[in-house]
Amino acid sequence: GLDSDIGPERASTQPVLLSTDGLPPANGADCLMQVGGDLPEDLDGWARVLFLFDSEGVEAARSRWRALARTEGVQPVYWRETDNGRFEKAA
């Protein structure tokens, strides 16, 4: 991941750490923000996961949602964009 490019001694002190491997980063963060693509299969170690996707990723997101909804200890929450560009929690 990108965290290895800056060296482990600097990665552990970064407040926001970009990575491409989906593993809990060296800075001890417990929140993953995935932009595009799909979530890592193993979400252990993450307290919160944000999965951002566009209209092309809707089917993958729906599939992931169904799997997460069946996972013990996981509470999926969906926010949708309104017509005026704001986001609201979907029921």
Side-chain angles (χ1 to χ4, degrees):
L2 296 177
D3 54 357
S4 62
D5 295 341
I6 64 171
E9 67 283 348
R10 290 190 53 219
S12 65
T13 63
Q14 302 303 306
V16 174
L17 189 59
L18 302 177
S19 178
T20 57
D21 57 22
L23 300 174
N27 68 349
D30 63 357
C31 180
L32 168 68
M33 181 178 288
Q34 176 74 32
V35 180
D38 195 4
L39 292 172
E41 286 299 319
D42 183 7
L43 296 176
D44 287 343
W46 297 109
R48 180 167 292 185
V49 176
L50 306 170
F51 184 32
L52 308 177
F53 57 92
D54 60 13
S55 60
E56 293 178 17
V58 170
E59 288 308 313
R62 285 180 178 153
S63 175
R64 177 58 76 169
W65 176 273
R66 288 188 292 273
L68 288 172
R70 294 187 303 266
T71 303
E72 185 176 335
V74 173
Q75 180 183 2
V77 178
Y78 176 75
W79 291 75
R80 87 176 81 210
E81 188 173 7
T82 64
D83 291 336
N84 62 3
R86 298 183 66 124
F87 285 86
E88 64 183 17
K89 191 174 180 179

